[in-house]
């Protein structure tokens, strides 16, 4: 066979793919999660050292098995998440009146014609107790620090706030 033995070594770039093609049971989930299928496929299609056609077929077969396992793990995780969401929704206690699930037709539907001249502004509740200033505006002292207590950690070049 013409291939580099370092490529198929157990810790080599394609060792996990070779194991997946021939010994599927020996692979663990963390090993499978580390593999980027697209990158490995590109490497098999265009290797830096020539590979035999049969070898590249075995490696592509192993890559397909890895992809299948990734899909299975994703499906299993999503089903577990969906069941946890379903069980959390079922366990919620909601105290609503019996007719609270439907809104009156008039409250969710616009009238066929909307006439602004017929709106009586005196009937609307106007807010008159707010100052001219914005009620959400804070004064300068409430939003500003005079000095921000920061120290530099020389070991990791991270900043931390002093207590």
């Amino acid at each position: 066979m013409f291939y580099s033995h370092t490529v198929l070594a157990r810790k080599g770039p394609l060792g996990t793919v070779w194991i997946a093609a021939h010994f599927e049971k020996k692979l663990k989930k963390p090993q499978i999660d580390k593999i980027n299928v697209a990158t490995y496929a590109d490497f098999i299609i265009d290797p830096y050292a020539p590979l035999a056609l049969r070898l590249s077929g075995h490696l592509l077969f192993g890559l397909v098995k890895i992809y299948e396992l990734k899909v299975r793990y994703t499906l299993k995780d999503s089903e577990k998440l969906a069941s946890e969401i379903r069980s959390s929704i079922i366990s919620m206690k909601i105290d609503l009146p019996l007719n609270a699930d439907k809104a009156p037709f008039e409250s969710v539907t616009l009238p066929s014609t909307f006439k602004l001249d017929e709106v009586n502004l005196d009937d609307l509740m106007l807010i008159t107790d707010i100052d001219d200033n914005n009620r959400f505006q804070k004064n300068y002292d409430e939003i500003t620090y005079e000095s921000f207590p920061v120290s530099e950690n020389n070991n990791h070049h991270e900043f931390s706030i002093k207590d």
Side-chain angles (χ1 to χ4, degrees), residues 11-76:
K11 297 197 182 209
L14 296 175
T16 308
V17 178
W18 177 261
I19 291 172
H22 298 285
F23 310 106
E24 185 179 342
K25 300 291 182 185
K26 288 190 176 185
L27 291 177
K28 304 291 183 220
K29 186 176 179 183
Q31 290 175 307
I32 292 170
D33 287 339
K34 285 193 306 185
I35 293 177
N36 184 351
V37 176
T39 305
Y40 277 69
D42 288 340
F43 184 77
I44 294 169
I45 292 169
D46 189 24
Y48 61 83
L51 297 174
L53 186 59
R54 183 174 182 169
L55 175 63
S56 62
H58 283 276
L59 292 174
L60 288 173
F61 178 66
L63 204 56
V64 167
K65 282 189 168 184
I66 288 173
Y67 185 70
E68 178 193 10
L69 290 172
K70 282 185 153 208
V71 169
R72 278 190 198 167
Y73 290 144
T74 304
L75 178 65
K76 189 176 180 182

Side-chain angles (χ1 to χ4, degrees), residues 39-120:
T39 305
Y40 277 69
D42 288 340
F43 184 77
I44 294 169
I45 292 169
D46 189 24
Y48 61 83
L51 297 174
L53 186 59
R54 183 174 182 169
L55 175 63
S56 62
H58 283 276
L59 292 174
L60 288 173
F61 178 66
L63 204 56
V64 167
K65 282 189 168 184
I66 288 173
Y67 185 70
E68 178 193 10
L69 290 172
K70 282 185 153 208
V71 169
R72 278 190 198 167
Y73 290 144
T74 304
L75 178 65
K76 189 176 180 182
D77 292 344
S78 65
E79 286 175 346
K80 181 180 175 185
L81 181 65
S83 68
E84 288 175 2
I85 290 172
R86 242 184 264 114
S87 66
S88 67
I89 290 173
I90 289 172
S91 65
M92 293 171 79
K93 292 186 178 184
I94 301 173
D95 296 330
L96 288 175
L98 292 176
N99 296 332
D101 60 342
K102 295 180 182 174
F105 180 78
E106 297 79 23
S107 68
V108 295
T109 307
L110 290 174
S112 57
T113 58
F114 189 71
K115 299 177 183 173
L116 290 175
D117 293 337
E118 294 180 3
V119 176
N120 189 358

Side-chain angles (χ1 to χ4, degrees), residues 152-159:
E152 185 176 339
N153 187 348
N154 293 331
N155 295 338
H156 300 288
H157 300 290
E158 297 175 353
F159 291 99

Side-chain angles (χ1 to χ4, degrees), residues 118-126:
E118 294 180 3
V119 176
N120 189 358
L121 295 176
D122 294 333
D123 292 342
L124 295 176
M125 188 175 147
L126 298 175

